[in-house]
C-alpha cells in the first residue's frame, strides 16, 4: 500500500511564538518514506528533535503573524495485521521498559477510574480477547460527532457523554486497556477514508511482545495507516502546539491511496 499525503496549515500568530510541529510521517520498519517535503514559512531556521520513543521527529519553528506549513509525502506501507483476539497477554511484571509508562494513567486517560468498570463488564478476559472486546465496546457505544468535544475533554468525559471524535475514541480505548492491564499508547496517523479528512488518532496496544495498531472508530484499516507519532495521550501527539496565541485561517489534510 502506498499513500500520498498532502497537508496545508494556514494560521495567524498573535505577536511572536514558538511552534512545535508534529506532521511528518515516521520512517519505521513497516512504513517507508519514498518522498517527504516539509516547508514552513517563518522568519527563523527550523530545529528538528526526535519524537517520543524515537518514533518520527518534532520540528521547532518560530511564528510571527502569518504562519504557513506545507507537507507532502509518499509513504509505502508493508504491515501484517494480526487477529487481535488471538494475541497473548504479557504479565505486567514481565513488561519491557518501553511499555511500562503506557500502563499508567495520564492527563487525558484516567485509567485508574475505569478499573471497576473493566473488571465488572469484562472480567475473565485478558490479552487480545480483552483488547478486542474493549475496542468493540468503544465502537458500539460512542457516536462520532464533529465538534462534540474540545481540547480539554478526557476519557472520563467521553465515557459519560458517549460521543466524540477520533481523539476521544483513542483516549477512551487507551484508558480502558490500561485499566485492564494492557499497555496502550495514542498514535497520530494519516489514513485514507477518514471522514472528515483530518489528522487521525488511533491506538497501539502491547500484546504478544509487540505493539499492535487499533482504530477504535473503525474508519481506517490498520494496514493502511501511516504513523506520525506516539505518546501517552493527545498532549504528546498534537500536530501543532503553539506556545502563545494563534488563529486558524485554513487547514487541509488529504490522504490518497496510490495503489488501486
Amino acid at each position: 500500500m502506498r499513500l500520498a499525503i498532502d497537508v496545508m496549515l494556514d494560521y495567524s500568530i498573535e505577536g511572536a511564538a514558538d511552534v512545535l510541529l508534529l506532521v511528518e510521517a515516521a520512517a519505521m520498519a513497516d512504513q517507508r518514506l519514498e518522498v517527504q517535503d516539509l516547508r514552513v514559512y517563518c522568519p527563523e531556521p527550523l530545529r528538528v528533535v526526535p519524537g517520543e520513543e524515537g518514533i518520527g521527529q518534532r520540528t521547532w519553528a518560530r511564528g510571527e503573524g502569518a504562519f504557513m506549513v506545507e507537507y507532502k509525502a509518499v509513504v509505502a506501507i508493508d504491515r501484517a495485521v494480526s487477529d487481535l483476539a488471538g494475541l497473548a497477554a504479557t504479565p505486567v511484571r514481565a513488561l519491557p521498559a518501553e511499555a511500562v509508562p503506557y500502563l499508567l494513567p495520564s492527563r487525558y486517560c484516567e485509567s485508574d477510574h475505569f478499573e471497576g468498570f473493566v473488571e465488572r463488564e469484562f472480567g475473565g478476559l485478558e490479552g487480545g480477547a480483552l483488547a478486542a472486546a474493549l475496542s468493540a465496546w468503544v465502537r458500539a457505544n460512542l457516536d462520532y460527532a464533529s465538534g462534540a468535544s474540545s481540547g480539554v475533554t478526557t476519557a472520563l468525559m467521553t465515557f459519560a457523554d458517549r460521543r466524540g471524535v477520533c481523539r476521544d475514541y483513542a483516549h477512551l480505548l487507551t484508558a480502558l486497556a490500561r485499566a485492564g492491564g494492557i499497555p496502550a499508547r495514542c498514535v497520530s496517523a494519516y489514513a485514507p477514508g477518514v471522514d472528515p479528512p483530518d489528522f487521525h488518532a488511533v491506538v497501539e496496544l502491547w500484546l504478544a511482545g509487540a505493539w499492535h495498531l487499533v482504530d477504535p472508530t473503525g474508519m481506517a484499516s490498520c494496514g493502511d495507516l501511516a504513523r506520525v507519532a506516539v505518546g501517552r495521550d493527545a498532549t504528546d501527539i498534537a500536530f501543532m502546539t503553539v506556545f502563545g496565541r494563534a488563529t486558524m485561517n485554513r487547514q487541509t489534510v488529504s490522504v490518497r491511496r496510490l495503489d488501486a
Side-chain angles (χ1 to χ4, degrees), residues 75-140:
V75 183
I77 299 171
D78 183 10
R79 177 183 306 128
V81 179
S82 302
D83 176 14
L84 202 64
L87 299 175
T90 301
V92 293
R93 65 184 180 280
L95 288 172
E98 69 174 283
V100 172
Y102 299 109
L103 191 62
L104 306 175
S106 60
R107 176 182 177 184
Y108 292 106
C109 302
E110 315 99 311
S111 53
D112 50 328
H113 291 277
F114 288 99
E115 291 171 358
F117 172 76
V118 171
E119 176 60 29
R120 184 173 61 253
E121 297 294 324
F122 303 96
L125 297 179
E126 63 177 10
L130 175 59
L134 292 174
S135 181
W137 187 92
V138 170
R139 191 173 305 170

Side-chain angles (χ1 to χ4, degrees), residues 55-258:
I55 295 174
Q57 62 185 31
R58 302 173 186 271
T59 300
W60 282 103
R62 183 72 174 170
E64 185 171 358
F67 183 80
M68 182 172 288
V69 177
E70 295 176 346
Y71 174 67
K72 298 179 185 295
V74 175
V75 183
I77 299 171
D78 183 10
R79 177 183 306 128
V81 179
S82 302
D83 176 14
L84 202 64
L87 299 175
T90 301
V92 293
R93 65 184 180 280
L95 288 172
E98 69 174 283
V100 172
Y102 299 109
L103 191 62
L104 306 175
S106 60
R107 176 182 177 184
Y108 292 106
C109 302
E110 315 99 311
S111 53
D112 50 328
H113 291 277
F114 288 99
E115 291 171 358
F117 172 76
V118 171
E119 176 60 29
R120 184 173 61 253
E121 297 294 324
F122 303 96
L125 297 179
E126 63 177 10
L130 175 59
L134 292 174
S135 181
W137 187 92
V138 170
R139 191 173 305 170
N141 286 275
L142 295 189
D143 292 325
Y144 194 96
S146 297
S149 60
S150 71
V152 300
T153 302
T154 68
L156 270 177
M157 296 163 71
T158 299
F159 182 77
D161 292 342
R162 299 297 170 96
R163 59 180 186 157
V165 295
C166 61
R167 156 192 161 126
D168 305 305
Y169 280 68
H171 280 161
L172 184 53
L173 179 57
T174 295
L176 292 172
R178 291 176 186 171
I182 302 172
R185 63 189 186 187
C186 292
V187 181
S188 59
Y190 293 112
V194 172
D195 185 23
D198 206 344
F199 298 98
H200 197 42
V202 295
V203 177
E204 278 190 319
L205 304 176
W206 183 270
L207 296 162
W211 291 107
H212 296 271
L213 283 162
V214 181
D215 182 2
T217 70
M219 286 195 289
S221 164
C222 293
D224 297 348
L225 293 169
R227 297 184 204 81
V228 176
V230 304
R232 296 161 299 172
D233 51 38
T235 306
D236 296 333
I237 64 172
F239 70 90
M240 185 168 77
T241 303
V242 180
F243 293 84
R245 298 176 64 86
T247 301
M248 183 184 76
N249 300 317
R250 192 161 66 97
Q251 176 176 303
T252 61
V253 178
S254 170
V255 184
R256 296 181 293 110
R257 292 184 180 90
L258 295 179

